[in-house]
Amino acid sequence: MPSEMVRVVYTKYDGSAHRDYPARRLNEDELGVWVGVTRGTASVYHGLPSVEQIPFVLLIPHRAWWTGMFNPPPRTSEVYCDITTPARWEGDTVHIVDLDLDVSRRRDTGVIELRDEDEFADHQVRFGYPDELVAEARAAAARLFVALGDGSEPFASTYRKWLSAVVD
């Protein structure tokens, strides 16, 4: 039986620290594992200690090249998807490699944005991303770009019930 708490560990492709935080397991369904992070959660961001100021819910898909962060106001991004390698679980710790590209939907306008293409291009060279990884990352970003705008779940409303569990 999985525990109520999950440790979420993001690294970059070269193994360097990116994000690391505890989260509460909220649900597991056909989409993946939903975890919640409350305001005040101690975390690590780019290797430095941090404290989460705004709660969020993270969907860790079972077998996809992305994770989805769902945010309440005042965050300007309602949905923020990191393009990643598929999640790898070791007990109650999930390991995710962040591949730089991000797709987000702005709260105020609904505009969908592809972000950090420059970082992706730089790391492609610096870290030696294999061609297959580049293709998977670009394909995932393209699918998300459409899904965030066309009413596909979980990006339309499914996430709201889980987000309400972490917002105080």
Side-chain angles (χ1 to χ4, degrees):
M1 174 119 177
S3 82
E4 184 177 313
M5 294 306 291
V6 169
R7 180 177 173 205
V8 179
V9 179
Y10 282 88
T11 59
K12 288 296 187 175
Y13 191 76
D14 69 346
S16 61
H18 183 51
R19 297 194 73 196
D20 189 333
Y21 53 85
R24 184 166 50 98
R25 186 186 306 263
L26 301 172
N27 189 47
E28 183 168 354
D29 59 20
E30 70 281 354
L31 297 169
V33 178
W34 295 87
V35 300
V37 176
T38 56
R39 178 189 339 265
T41 298
S43 63
V44 174
Y45 189 63
H46 293 291
L48 300 173
S50 183
V51 175
E52 297 299 331
Q53 300 300 312
I54 301 172
F56 63 90
V57 167
L58 183 73
L59 172 60
I60 306 160
H62 292 298
R63 290 168 296 283
W65 286 75
W66 57 271
T67 58
M69 183 189 304
F70 301 90
N71 304 303
R75 277 226 166 99
T76 58
S77 63
E78 180 181 19
V79 181
Y80 196 97
C81 296
D82 287 297
I83 304 304
T84 68
T85 59
R88 182 177 54 82
W89 288 87
E90 287 182 356
D92 292 318
T93 299
V94 61
H95 298 274
I96 304 162
V97 178
D98 181 276
L99 297 175
D100 319 308
L101 287 175
D102 305 301
V103 180
S104 67
R105 181 172 66 214
R106 309 233 357 118
R107 178 177 314 287
D108 55 349
T109 62
V111 168
I112 313 302
E113 299 173 312
L114 178 61
R115 305 170 62 117
D116 298 332
E117 289 183 275
D118 53 344
E119 184 181 0
F120 182 70
D122 176 53
H123 287 177
Q124 220 176 316
V125 173
R126 187 181 331 163
F127 300 152
Y129 290 172
D131 291 343
E132 309 81 49
L133 182 136
V134 171
E136 290 285 1
R138 289 203 179 281
R143 285 191 298 274
L144 285 167
F145 199 88
V146 171
L148 265 67
D150 72 2
S152 295
E153 292 296 355
F155 308 109
S157 62
T158 300
Y159 70 91
R160 289 190 174 111
K161 68 180 170 185
W162 305 119
L163 189 56
S164 69
V166 299
V167 175
D168 40 39

